[in-house]
Amino acid sequence: MELPFAESWKIKMVEPIVKSTREQREQWLKEAHYNVFQLKAEQVYIDLLTDSGTGAMSDRQWAQMMLGDESYAGATSFFHLKDMIKNLMGFDYVIPTHQGRAAENVLFSFLVKEGHVIPGNAHFDTTKGHIESRHAHAIDVTTDDAKNTQLEVPFKGNVSLEKLEKVLKESPGNVPFMVLTVTNNTVGGQPVSMQNIRETCELCHRYNVPVVMDSARFAENAYFIKMREPGFENMTIKEIVKQMYSYVDAATMSAKKDAIVNIGGFIATSRKEWYEGAKGFCIPFEGYVTYGGLAGRDLNAIAQGLDENTEFDMLHTRIHQVQYLASLLDEYGIPYQRPAGGHAIFVDASQILTQVPKEEFPAQTLTCELYLEAGIRGCEIGYMLADRDPETRENRFGGLDLLRLAIPRRVYTDNHMAVIAAALKNVMDRRETITRGVAIEWEAPLMRHFTVQLRRL
Ligand code: F0G
C-alpha cells in the first residue's frame, strides 16, 4: 500500500486558541465597525487575515536567533544573510529593511519621480501606494486569464506581453522599472511561469527598462514552476530560483512570507548605482545599511528561513495543505479563483452573494459573514482594497471581488482546514438570506481597507 502524504515536520511548541459564541462575535464585529482589521486577535478562532509574519519559525531559525550578532555596523549576521542571498539569487548588493514595503519605500525613493509610469502584474497594495503617493502611475498588465476565476490555467499570474509592450511603447523614457510580482498575490497567489519571466524581462530590456521582482512568495512560485512547467520537473527548487533571478535586475522582498520570519525584508540587486542610490534612503528611514531596521538575530533567522523554505519538502507540505482546503471547497461547490494559489484560497464573493450589489461590497460582506459564522478571520481582496481612482475619486469596481483565506505557514493543521470549509459551506447554504451588504461611514484617502469604518445595511 502506498503511504499517505504527511507533513515534512513535527510540532515542538503549541499555542492555545479559543472559540467564542455567535453573540460575542456579533458584538465584537460591531465594535470593529465591520472591519476585521479592527478586531482583537484574541477574538479570532482561526486567523487567515494574512500569511505575512504569521508563520511558525523552525527550531533551526530559533537557534539562529540566539547566534545573532547585534553589532551596529558590519555584523556577522548581515554577511550571513548577504551570502545566502548571493547563493540563492545571485545578487551582489543587499540592503536589509524592516519589511517588504520598507524595501519598496527605500528603493522607490531613489527611482520613482512624479509622472513616471510603472507597469506590473497586479502591484500589491503597498507597492501601488508607494507609486501613487509619489504621483506616479501603476499600470496593471496581468493577463486577462486572471479575471475569470473559473478558468483553470497553470500560470494565471503571468504578465500579458501585449499589455506590457503597449505601456513601454507609449511612455518612452518615462518607465524607471517594471514590477514583476511572484506569485501574483492580488489575483489569487497565482504563479508566473519561467517562460513568462524570461519573455517579460527580454521585452523590458529591449526598451531599456529594468525589472524589479517583488519576491514575497518567490519560493512558492518556484514550486509551481517545478510542478507545472515542462522541462523543470527534475530541477531542484534552488536551481529554479537561481534561474528566475538570472533575468531580473533587482528584488524587493517581504521576508515575512517565504522566508518564514515574523518581521523582515530586503532589497537585493546587481546594479551598483541602485545600491548606492538606495543606501541614502535606507539610513534615514530604516537604519544603517547593514541592519536596515532589524536586529542581528532577525537577519540570521531570515537567512535560515530562505535556506529551508527553498527545499521541496517544505513547499510541498505547505501547498498540499492549501490544495486540501481547495478540495473541500470543491466538494461543497464553493467558487474560488482556480486553480488554488500558493498561499491562499481566494473565494469568489461575487458568485456567492449574488444579491448584494457591488456598491455594497459583496466580498467585505462575506468576510463579515464568515467571521460571524465561526470566528474565522479572512481578508477582503476586492472593491474595498481597490480604493478609489486617485483622479476621479470613483470606487474602482473593475477588478475581482474576493475573500482571501491566507494560510499561515506551518501553523494550522488539516483539521482547521476542515473547519474553515464547513463554516463557508454554512454561509453558502444561507446565502439567499443575505441581500444587503455594508456602507462606508469613514475612509482614509489611501489604503482605506485597513482602517475603513462600515455600517451593516
Ligand atoms: N509585495 C507583496 C506581493 C505582498 O503580498 C506584500 C505584503 C508586500 C509586497 C509588502 O510586504 O507586508 O512585508 O511590507 N503582503 C501582505 C499580505 C501584507 O497580507 O498579502 P510587507
Side-chain angles (χ1 to χ4, degrees), residues 140-171:
D140 182 19
V141 294
T142 310
T143 136
D144 285 334
D145 286 351
K147 288 189 185 153
N148 176 355
T149 60
Q150 299 313 293
L151 185 70
E152 192 102 22
V153 294
F155 292 102
K156 242 178 174 176
N158 276 358
V159 171
S160 155
L161 297 173
E162 291 93 277
K163 289 189 200 177
L164 174 60
E165 183 148 31
K166 188 164 176 288
V167 176
L168 297 173
K169 255 197 196 129
E170 283 172 359
S171 310

Side-chain angles (χ1 to χ4, degrees), residues 50 52 99-101 104 124 126 181 185 214 216-217 254 256-257 404:
T50 178
S52 181
Q99 58 185 86
R101 68 199 65 187
E104 293 162 2
F124 181 66
T126 62
T181 304
N185 179 6
D214 178 342
R217 301 177 183 87
S254 169
K256 299 170 73 170
K257 284 82 162 174
R404 185 182 74 171

